[in-house]
Amino acid sequence: MSTSIKANTSSESNVIKIGTKLEIGYPSASNYKYLILPRKNFIIKKGGLANYKNLINLNVVVSEIEKSEDNTIIVVLKHVENKKFFNRYRTIKANYKEAINAKELIFIK
């Protein structure tokens, strides 16, 4: 069963589905605003490397699509090469529509 959701973004109308490949872009502010990332102190406590700069230009794939109570689309992202984020976490989440609009997530063509 393939799940797909259509989201209207500023650039064009894109369909997101499980298996869609994306690239993590530069943060829209000093930190990522629409990628739901663990805080640095939690990463360090769990023995990970808290370096958000390693995420820039990283290829990821959509593994799950969730819809929150306020109808925002949350995507669960996995590393393309099945590596861990920050040497600790297998997945991270992102607010899909806002991250695409802010260019924190970019479609790979």
Side-chain angles (χ1 to χ4, degrees), residues 3-70:
T3 304
S4 66
I5 295 178
K6 187 175 184 177
N8 293 323
T9 58
S10 62
S11 60
E12 59 186 34
S13 180
N14 295 309
V15 176
I16 187 75
K17 56 186 173 182
I18 295 175
T20 302
K21 292 185 180 180
L22 301 168
E23 180 179 311
I24 297 177
Y26 288 91
S28 58
S30 61
N31 289 325
Y32 287 99
K33 191 172 180 181
Y34 303 111
L35 292 182
I36 304 167
L37 301 172
R39 294 192 339 215
K40 288 185 178 185
N41 62 327
F42 289 117
I43 296 169
I44 293 168
K45 274 185 181 179
K46 295 202 176 215
L49 301 173
N51 186 356
Y52 292 139
K53 291 181 182 179
N54 288 341
L55 296 177
I56 298 171
N57 296 328
L58 189 67
N59 292 333
V60 293
V61 64
V62 176
S63 63
E64 292 178 40
I65 301 172
E66 304 170 356
K67 222 174 193 184
S68 67
E69 295 173 5
D70 59 346

Side-chain angles (χ1 to χ4, degrees), residues 36-105:
I36 304 167
L37 301 172
R39 294 192 339 215
K40 288 185 178 185
N41 62 327
F42 289 117
I43 296 169
I44 293 168
K45 274 185 181 179
K46 295 202 176 215
L49 301 173
N51 186 356
Y52 292 139
K53 291 181 182 179
N54 288 341
L55 296 177
I56 298 171
N57 296 328
L58 189 67
N59 292 333
V60 293
V61 64
V62 176
S63 63
E64 292 178 40
I65 301 172
E66 304 170 356
K67 222 174 193 184
S68 67
E69 295 173 5
D70 59 346
N71 287 331
T72 57
I73 300 168
I74 304 294
V75 290
V76 179
L77 306 169
K78 287 175 55 175
H79 198 289
V80 170
E81 299 168 359
N82 284 332
K83 293 182 181 178
K84 293 181 181 179
F85 298 99
F86 311 113
N87 290 340
R88 182 66 183 100
Y89 300 94
R90 291 231 178 255
T91 62
I92 58 174
K93 293 184 178 184
N95 180 330
Y96 172 69
K97 186 176 177 183
E98 298 296 330
I100 291 289
N101 286 338
K103 303 218 184 314
E104 288 183 2
L105 286 178

